[in-house]
Amino acid sequence: MKKALLFGEYKIARFLPVLRERGYTDIVVYSAIEFDAASEFDNEGVEVRLMDLNWTADDVLAVLEAERPDVAIANAYPHGQEQLPIVYGRAAARWNGRFVAHSAPFAEIACDKVTLHRTATERGWPVPAGAVCENAEQVAAAAAEVGFPLVIKEARSQAGDGRFHAASQEDLDGVLAAGLAYPTIVQAFAQGEETGIELISADGTLMRWPVVSMGPLDDGLEPTLRARVTPYELPAGAAARLDAFVTDLQENFAPFGPWQIDFAVVDGGDDIVVLEINPRFGGLTDLALTGTGTSPHAVFTAAALGDALPQVESRAVTIELPCTEIPGVEVPAHPEGAEVMVSTARRPTNRCFTGTDRMQLLTRIGDLDAGKRWIKEVDAAGLLRCSLDSAFRQLEQGFEVFGRQEDAR
């Protein structure tokens, strides 16, 4: 009997088939929340236990010693567990078994925005102009230097928290009056197309999923309220800059597991600025699965067990629509009969927006006009949270890119 230990409950159902296929009949999941496992997945052979969000590396090692797994896998959840990858990295460095977790140096860059900014400044990585601040007076001085609009980011925060946009002195005064956790980074507000990419590193190798467009950056800093589309084609200058950045991280900071980069394409496509790094699967994995037909979670699980990383490519234009779940209102059927993935906040292990009425609709689109008709039906049902024009723009962009890729094959 083989035993697997997973730290974190995020989309755990997608890990289980691979583990079971490989003979892991004893699976222990440490979760930050209590939930009905039987309603989330087939929990035969799976035991769910509570983790402590204040764990130290010693605490994690104590769990490993008590469980004695054949493999341990770090799978941080977006809410409440954003700082645990640092702890996992420190514990993995001291554990003599197989613990698939990012190195502590990589996790610190990804989990701490101040560390990322300072490291980027030292290594020439593309990040927005800004300054590290230890108090309100330094924030005010940095704002005067950087100029409006700007973004204030607390060094360590949970998903969706600790980020503020200020378009004016009045906005900044409001942020300061509400209180900030220091140190804080003050950065210029990037203007451009927000894009993202999911990556997986395993035993020194790297795979990349197709780049996703999240649409033009908005003042609300809320990409989950914009339509997302894949594939997206980076301009040559931006692609080269991203490649250099990814290579430096891969070769010098030892990522081991899934990670995500959010970045903006700026200067007419000649460059990028890195907005954040997540040392975990982010919100783009449903798009990756729908667009390529290959589950990032399944790939990662297999890699954690020693398999080589595959290469994947987009099978069709794929769109994710930000929507509202309304009781009694059905999601319009896709006009071409393709499956529509409905991802809601009702499943505690599923999405990072647990406890809201938000949901995402994802599907491949084979025909541009049919796709637009479907989006109109979603909007007419009162479900769509973004504008029709923005969703159409994203869809049209996806077809332009996919058409060029098809011609190049």
Side-chain angles (χ1 to χ4, degrees):
M1 182 174 70
K2 292 191 287 187
K3 182 175 185 177
L5 174 61
L6 293 102
F7 290 104
E9 69 277 9
Y10 189 45
K11 293 190 184 292
I12 196 66
R14 297 183 183 179
F15 290 78
L16 301 180
V18 177
L19 290 171
R20 287 168 171 152
E21 288 168 5
R22 304 303 175 85
Y24 286 82
T25 56
D26 185 6
I27 302 170
V28 178
V29 179
Y30 275 82
S31 168
I33 56 173
E34 294 188 74
F35 61 92
D36 180 4
S39 69
E40 291 281 312
F41 48 77
D42 175 5
N43 63 338
E44 182 178 354
V46 180
E47 184 172 356
V48 179
R49 299 174 181 167
L50 286 177
M51 67 165 57
D52 187 335
L53 296 179
N54 296 312
W55 266 347
T56 66
D58 287 340
D59 296 323
V60 174
L61 284 169
V63 171
L64 291 165
E65 289 287 356
E67 300 285 359
R68 303 302 302 180
D70 295 283
V71 63
I73 302 173
N75 175 44
Y77 192 76
H79 277 291
Q81 301 173 33
E82 290 282 38
Q83 305 306 317
L84 284 176
I86 298 174
V87 174
Y88 296 148
R90 292 169 180 166
R94 296 162 54 189
W95 177 244
N96 58 8
R98 185 167 177 83
F99 186 3
V100 181
H102 294 302
S103 71
F106 176 83
E108 286 165 359
I109 288 172
C111 294
D112 189 308
K113 296 175 179 62
V114 166
T115 300
L116 171 60
H117 184 82
R118 285 174 170 158
T119 306
T121 301
E122 294 169 359
R123 302 184 74 87
W125 293 343
V127 295
V132 176
C133 304
E134 300 288 347
N135 52 52
E137 290 74 19
Q138 291 182 8
V139 169
E145 179 71 22
V146 171
F148 296 104
L150 53 81
V151 177
I152 305 101
K153 301 176 183 177
E154 295 173 350
R156 296 191 179 187
S157 59
Q158 300 301 323
D161 296 329
R163 295 183 305 164
F164 310 93
H165 177 268
S168 65
Q169 185 63 49
E170 182 180 3
D171 290 344
L172 180 60
D173 291 343
V175 172
L176 291 173
L180 287 170
Y182 295 99
T184 289
I185 179 78
V186 173
Q187 290 181 325
F189 176 62
Q191 306 285 329
E193 184 88 1
E194 184 172 3
T195 49
I197 185 170
E198 298 271 4
L199 309 99
I200 300 177
S201 296
D203 295 316
T205 63
L206 174 73
M207 75 171 293
R208 297 163 53 153
W209 297 82
V211 176
V212 171
S213 167
M214 304 182 198
L217 280 159
D218 60 90
D219 292 355
L221 306 178
E222 186 51 272
T224 60
L225 295 182
R226 300 184 234 126
R228 303 174 178 181
V229 71
T230 185
Y232 174 80
E233 186 175 71
L234 290 172
R241 193 79 150 129
L242 177 64
D243 288 345
F245 176 58
V246 169
T247 298
D248 193 3
L249 281 168
Q250 173 73 9
E251 293 182 351
N252 296 297
F253 291 89
F256 192 3
W259 45 300
Q260 178 193 345
I261 306 172
D262 284 344
F263 56 101
V265 178
V266 297
D267 297 338
D270 287 337
D271 206 354
I272 65 170
V273 290
V274 174
L275 304 176
E276 67 178 15
I277 306 173
N278 291 313
R280 53 168 173 78
F281 280 128
L284 305 181
T285 54
D286 286 343
L287 267 173
L289 168 58
T290 306
T292 67
T294 301
S295 167
H297 300 82
V299 168
F300 171 48
T301 308
L305 303 181
D307 284 12
L309 292 169
Q311 296 302 312
V312 295
E313 60 181 21
S314 297
R315 300 187 301 174
V317 176
T318 305
I319 194 165
E320 178 179 282
L321 298 179
C323 293
T324 300
E325 184 180 20
I326 303 175
V329 177
E330 295 186 2
V331 173
H334 191 289
E336 299 168 5
E339 181 179 354
V340 177
M341 179 189 292
V342 180
S343 183
T344 75
R346 293 188 182 275
R347 296 183 61 186
T349 69
N350 190 24
R351 294 288 299 197
C352 60
F353 43 72
T354 296
T356 74
D357 63 356
R358 290 160 58 184
M359 70 176 179
Q360 307 291 104
L361 302 182
L362 302 99
T363 190
R364 297 191 302 277
I365 304 288
D367 177 81
L368 177 59
D369 290 336
K372 286 185 175 180
R373 286 195 297 272
W374 176 70
I375 294 172
K376 284 183 180 179
E377 291 174 0
V378 173
D379 184 52
L383 301 177
L384 193 65
R385 294 173 70 96
C386 66
S387 72
L388 272 176
D389 287 344
S390 65
F392 287 170
R393 171 191 176 277
Q394 289 290 79
L395 193 61
E396 290 165 355
Q397 178 176 254
F399 270 89
E400 290 174 4
V401 172
F402 191 74
R404 289 196 295 269
Q405 292 182 351
E406 286 286 278
D407 292 341
R409 291 184 182 125

